[in-house]
């Protein structure tokens, strides 16, 4: 055989060997980008309990490696029937390890892992038997997917606030805070738990958990609101009690409220092209419009790479025109939220007056990455004059993966409004049929609460939650200091954990200061916390009190509060289950609590 022929045979033999090795590495074909398998990867992977065996498709990841990301192709928009019974979308993974801020630090920025992170789950470190932070679970094998039209901000973003510590009453007997009627934190946490994952600690705000639920507070016979006080022994510590401060706003019927002008400001950027974002937002708007009055009007503005006026002010009775405008919305492009906000407020301020309720309703995942004004401060500064003219704002969040909870919360607070998160069509019905349209009319603004404890009766106290609503004691009677708003029918609940002395006297005084919707000077009311309002046992307390305490305790545990480190969630579970009163939302909470306990471990006291 010639040397040239032998060389050719050697080359062909090497090629055949290489081909056999390649075929041996590929045991099954990957799905195409349009397959159902691809669509399932459009949202974050699910965190799984530590005891579960990883799926066969997962590969182990290095414990200290950074999660990798892969852009995912969004699924097609759903039909309305599909939204009515949505399949829960996978939630992002549990929060990464983070260093706690020192006690004097008020807040820190936190970014949760992105929806495309490879790590399927990490367990969080908690004193009292909970698993340690940062031990990575097996990473899910990723498919090669088509990139989205717009690269989203990587990861959900939350702002962490250091939980309130106990205060010695002799050193500071005043506790002052602004009311908060937001509920976004609870629905965000519910989405995580429904997908078998613990919510990141910074995502948990106690007051928003508690205020998600309805309580049987009697509406005031006169004035803007009434106050309901109650206390009972702690189920966790024999030396402590809990005190509940409940505020109920007056109820204004749909037929009695002022005419409303709603300006829907809709994010139609590329990041909104997912089943639980723009398609769900469109259905939510239709729910709101359907529940407006004949004297109400609606306008529609969108923003992506630029802004667009889709619908000029239109009577709410013209459903055909409004629905057609809503149905025309499609996603694509960047996210010029700042420019969109300016246009929406220009529309809203034209209708704002003492006789008309004018509100901007923002529907977005919060991912603002293009535009003249990017931060919440910049956007609100550019429209501050409009806010002073009486325009309120509702920030409605959708989706996961690049959700900007930090931005949504700031917009609502500075826009004199409220913040909701929509995780399902069911929640859309609750918010847009009941909460948004039913509480459009603000009945009191700049509402501040100050509790003055008597050092002779209360040795120490701490406010459970409201860290981001803290107000300096000296600013309680400064009417220039901004605070929260209460809409018609809204209720606000706050809980204190206290240590009492042996003295038998009033624990203190609860003062509420607020302005009328168009007023500049506030009026003040005082309510004594009498010994008769303190129950001898927890069983003697109302079911509303017991349920609110169970919800607050759960949130305090989930966020890793120092004072809750030794609390046992099995005690909380029994407390909640005994106070559901058959209400569907409360029953659902007990189910979520059971899932949280499972994720934490049966003996955990996180």
């Amino acid at each position: 055989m010639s040397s040239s022929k032998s060389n050719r045979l050697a080359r062909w033999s090497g090629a055949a060997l290489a081909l056999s090795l390649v075929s041996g590495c590929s045991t099954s074909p990957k799905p195409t980008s349009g397959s159902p398998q691809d669509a399932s990867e459009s949202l974050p992977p699910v965190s799984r309990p530590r005891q579960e065996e990883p799926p066969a498709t997962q590969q182990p990841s290095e414990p200290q490696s950074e999660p990798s990301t892969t852009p995912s192709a969004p699924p097609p928009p759903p039909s309305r029937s599909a939204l009515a019974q949505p399949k829960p979308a996978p939630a992002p993974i549990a929060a990464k390890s983070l260093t706690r801020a020192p006690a004097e630090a008020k807040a820190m920025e936190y970014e949760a892992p992105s929806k495309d992170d490879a790590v399927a789950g990490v367990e969080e470190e908690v004193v009292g038997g909970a698993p340690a932070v940062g031990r990575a679970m097996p990473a899910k094998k990723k498919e090669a997917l088509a990139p989205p039209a717009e690269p989203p901000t990587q990861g959900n973003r939350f702002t962490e606030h250091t939980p309130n510590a106990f205060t010695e009453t002799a050193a500071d007997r005043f506790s002052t805070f602004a009311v908060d009627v937001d509920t976004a934190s609870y629905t965000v946490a519910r989405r995580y738990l429904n997908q078998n994952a613990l919510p990141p600690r910074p995502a948990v705000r106690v007051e928003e958990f508690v205020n998600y639920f309805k309580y049987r507070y009697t509406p005031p016979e006169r004035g803007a609101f009434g106050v309901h006080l109650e206390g009972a022994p702690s189920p966790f510590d024999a030396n402590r009690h809990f005190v509940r401060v409940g505020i109920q706003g007056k109820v204004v019927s749909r037929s009695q409220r002022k005419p409303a002008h709603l300006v829907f400001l809709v994010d139609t950027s590329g990041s909104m092209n997912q089943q639980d974002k723009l398609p769900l937002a469109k259905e939510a708007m239709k729910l709101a419009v359907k529940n407006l009055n004949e004297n109400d009007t609606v306008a529609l503005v969108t923003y992506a790479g630029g802004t667009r006026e889709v619908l000029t002010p239109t009577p709410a009775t013209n459903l055909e025109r409004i629905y057609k405008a809503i149905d025309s919305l499609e996603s694509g492009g960047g996210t010029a939220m700042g420019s969109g906000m300016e246009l929406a407020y220009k529309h809203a301020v034209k209708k704002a007056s003492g006789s008309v309720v004018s509100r901007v309703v923002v529907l977005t995942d919060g991912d603002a990455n293009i535009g003249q004004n990017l931060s919440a401060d910049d956007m609100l500064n550019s429209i501050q004059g409009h806010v002073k003219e009486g325009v309120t704002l509702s920030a409605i969040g959708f989706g996961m993966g690049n959700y900007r909870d930090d931005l949504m919360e700031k917009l609502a607070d500075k826009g004199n409004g409220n913040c909701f998160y929509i995780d399902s069509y069911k929640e859309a019905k609750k918010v847009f049929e009941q909460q948004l349209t039913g509480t459009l009319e603000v009945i009191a603004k700049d509402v501040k609460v100050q509790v003055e404890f008597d050092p002779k009766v209360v040795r120490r106290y701490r406010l459970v939650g409201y860290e981001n609503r803290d107000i300096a004691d000296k600013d309680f009677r400064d009417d220039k200091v901004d605070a929260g708003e209460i809409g018609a029918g809204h209720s606000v609940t706050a809980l204190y954990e206290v240590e009492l002395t042996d003295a038998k006297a009033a624990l203190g005084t609860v003062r509420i200061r607020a302005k009328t919707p168009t007023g500049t000077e506030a009026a003040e009311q005082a309510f004594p916390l009498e010994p008769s309002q303190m129950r001898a046992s927890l069983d003697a307390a109302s079911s509303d009190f017991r349920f609110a305490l169970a919800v607050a305790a759960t949130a305090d545990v989930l966020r890793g509060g120092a004072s809750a480190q030794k609390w046992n969630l099995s005690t909380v579970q029994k407390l909640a289950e005994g106070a559901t009163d058959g209400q569907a939302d409360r029953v659902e909470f007990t189910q979520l609590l059971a899932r949280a306990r499972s994720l934490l471990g049966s003996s955990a006291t996180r």
Side-chain angles (χ1 to χ4, degrees):
M1 182 182 298
S2 66
S3 61
S4 62
K5 184 175 182 180
S6 62
N7 288 339
R8 286 196 300 273
L9 286 174
R11 286 196 297 272
W12 280 109
S13 298
L17 176 61
L19 287 172
S20 67
L21 290 174
V22 170
S23 63
C25 293
S26 301
T27 58
S28 61
K30 292 185 180 181
T32 61
S33 61
S35 68
Q37 290 93 329
D38 259 350
S40 69
E41 293 295 318
S42 64
L43 286 172
V46 174
S47 294
R48 303 183 183 277
R50 195 171 169 76
Q51 65 268 25
E52 288 188 6
E53 291 297 324
T57 56
Q58 291 184 333
Q59 299 294 331
S61 62
E62 293 298 326
Q64 296 181 349
S65 63
E66 287 297 319
S68 60
T69 60
T70 302
S72 55
S79 64
R80 178 168 180 173
S81 60
L83 286 169
Q85 306 236 343
K87 180 180 178 181
I93 68 172
K96 291 194 285 189
S97 170
L98 58 96
T99 302
R100 290 275 164 182
E104 63 271 12
K106 288 300 290 183
M108 61 176 287
E109 293 298 323
Y110 173 88
E111 182 172 339
S114 89
K115 65 177 179 178
D116 299 309
D117 283 349
V119 180
V122 295
E123 296 177 309
E124 299 188 6
E125 179 179 59
V126 184
V127 177
V133 175
R135 292 200 292 269
M137 299 292 284
K140 185 172 182 179
K141 188 175 180 180
K142 298 176 296 181
E143 306 292 348
L145 303 177
E150 172 198 12
T153 302
Q154 295 302 309
N156 306 307
R157 296 187 184 180
F158 306 95
T159 299
E160 181 172 28
H161 301 273
T162 303
N164 292 321
F166 271 94
T167 298
E168 299 291 333
T169 312
D172 181 4
R173 66 183 187 275
F174 294 104
S175 171
T176 310
F177 63 95
V179 299
D180 188 353
V181 295
D182 298 345
T183 62
S185 177
Y186 178 76
T187 43
V188 166
R190 180 174 66 190
R191 176 161 183 169
Y192 277 88
L193 290 170
N194 275 332
Q195 294 303 319
N196 211 27
L198 292 170
R201 292 182 178 184
V204 179
R205 293 184 288 274
V206 176
E207 66 278 7
E208 296 186 25
F209 270 56
V210 174
N211 287 325
Y212 179 85
F213 299 94
K214 290 184 177 181
Y215 304 100
R216 287 177 290 266
Y217 298 145
T218 304
E221 295 181 0
R222 53 188 175 84
F225 42 75
V227 175
H228 302 266
L229 306 175
E230 188 176 10
S234 168
F236 313 112
D237 191 326
N239 297 317
R240 293 177 181 171
H241 286 67
F242 281 93
V243 174
R244 182 196 65 180
V245 178
I247 302 172
Q248 176 63 53
K250 71 177 181 180
V251 176
V252 178
S253 68
R254 177 174 168 178
S255 61
Q256 291 177 322
R257 73 161 170 80
K258 300 174 184 177
H261 176 56
L262 294 186
V263 180
F264 290 116
L265 175 59
V266 186
D267 179 356
T268 57
S269 63
S271 68
M272 290 289 286
N273 188 18
Q274 294 182 18
Q275 182 173 356
D276 58 344
K277 294 187 179 182
L278 183 58
L280 184 54
K282 290 161 72 171
E283 295 299 321
M285 285 186 285
K286 291 179 182 179
L287 289 170
V289 172
K290 188 173 63 175
N291 285 275
L292 292 176
N293 292 342
E294 59 182 8
N295 294 325
D296 298 335
T297 54
V298 175
L300 178 59
V301 174
T302 65
Y303 65 92
T307 59
R308 185 166 70 99
E309 182 181 25
V310 179
L311 181 71
T312 57
T314 301
T317 52
N318 194 344
L319 293 179
E320 182 178 357
R321 184 184 179 196
I322 296 172
Y323 284 4
K324 183 177 180 180
I326 292 173
D327 287 335
S328 72
L329 302 184
E330 296 180 353
S331 59
T335 316
M337 179 184 277
S339 301
M341 194 75 73
E342 291 178 11
L343 180 58
Y345 266 90
K346 287 179 181 178
H347 272 288
V349 77
K350 293 177 181 178
K351 296 275 188 177
S353 68
S355 58
V356 176
V357 175
S358 190
R359 181 181 294 258
V360 173
V361 182
V362 184
L363 300 93
T364 178
D365 58 13
D367 188 17
N369 53 19
I370 299 176
Q372 180 180 359
N373 302 309
L374 298 183
S375 74
D377 289 339
D378 289 339
M379 282 189 281
L380 267 295
N381 286 338
S382 70
I383 56 172
Q384 196 62 44
H386 300 327
V387 173
K388 293 179 180 178
E389 293 182 66
V391 179
T392 55
L393 180 144
S394 290
I396 317 291
F398 293 84
M400 277 285 168
N402 58 331
Y403 181 60
R404 291 290 307 276
D405 178 85
D406 58 334
L407 178 60
M408 301 295 282
E409 187 184 10
K410 289 178 182 178
L411 289 174
D413 288 347
K414 296 196 175 186
N416 283 4
N418 40 38
C419 181
F420 301 102
Y421 176 79
I422 308 300
D423 62 343
S424 65
Y425 185 77
K426 177 182 175 182
E427 186 66 18
K429 286 177 67 68
K430 178 178 180 178
V431 170
F432 284 82
E433 283 188 346
Q434 303 171 25
Q435 293 174 294
L436 181 62
T437 57
T439 58
L440 277 174
E441 187 170 340
V442 173
I443 59 173
K445 68 178 183 180
D446 291 338
V447 184
K448 304 173 189 174
V449 179
Q450 184 173 81
V451 180
E452 180 182 2
F453 290 106
D454 185 345
K456 296 178 181 179
V457 183
V458 179
R459 183 178 294 110
R460 298 200 306 163
Y461 67 87
R462 77 175 180 105
L463 175 60
V464 187
Y466 289 90
E467 287 81 9
N468 65 335
R469 308 296 286 171
D470 180 66
I471 291 180
D473 296 336
K474 63 180 179 62
D475 291 335
F476 177 65
R477 293 189 174 93
D478 185 347
D479 293 341
K480 295 179 181 178
V481 175
D482 185 54
E485 283 66 44
I486 292 183
H490 270 155
S491 65
V492 180
T493 300
L495 287 120
Y496 283 89
E497 187 178 15
V498 300
E499 292 181 5
L500 304 179
T501 66
D502 295 330
K504 303 299 181 183
L507 279 69
T509 302
V510 178
R511 297 184 179 88
I512 299 181
R513 191 172 178 86
K515 302 172 186 173
T516 62
T518 57
T520 57
E521 294 184 4
E524 185 175 318
Q525 293 176 276
F527 305 86
L529 180 52
E530 301 287 359
S532 61
Q533 295 165 321
M534 301 296 293
R535 311 306 177 209
S537 68
L538 190 57
D539 290 339
S542 66
S543 58
D544 278 354
F545 177 93
R546 287 181 278 120
F547 188 79
L549 174 55
V551 174
T554 300
D556 214 11
V557 170
L558 288 176
R559 68 173 178 168
S563 298
Q565 287 179 356
K566 296 183 180 180
W567 294 358
N568 195 308
L569 285 183
S570 63
T571 300
V572 180
Q573 184 88 45
K574 294 176 183 177
L575 187 64
E577 289 176 349
T580 60
D581 294 339
Q583 297 182 32
D585 284 346
R586 295 189 182 189
V587 172
E588 180 190 49
F589 171 79
T590 64
Q591 297 166 349
L592 294 174
L593 175 53
R595 183 165 298 177
R597 290 177 60 200
S598 175
L599 291 168
L600 289 166
S602 59
S603 62
T605 56
R606 178 185 174 187

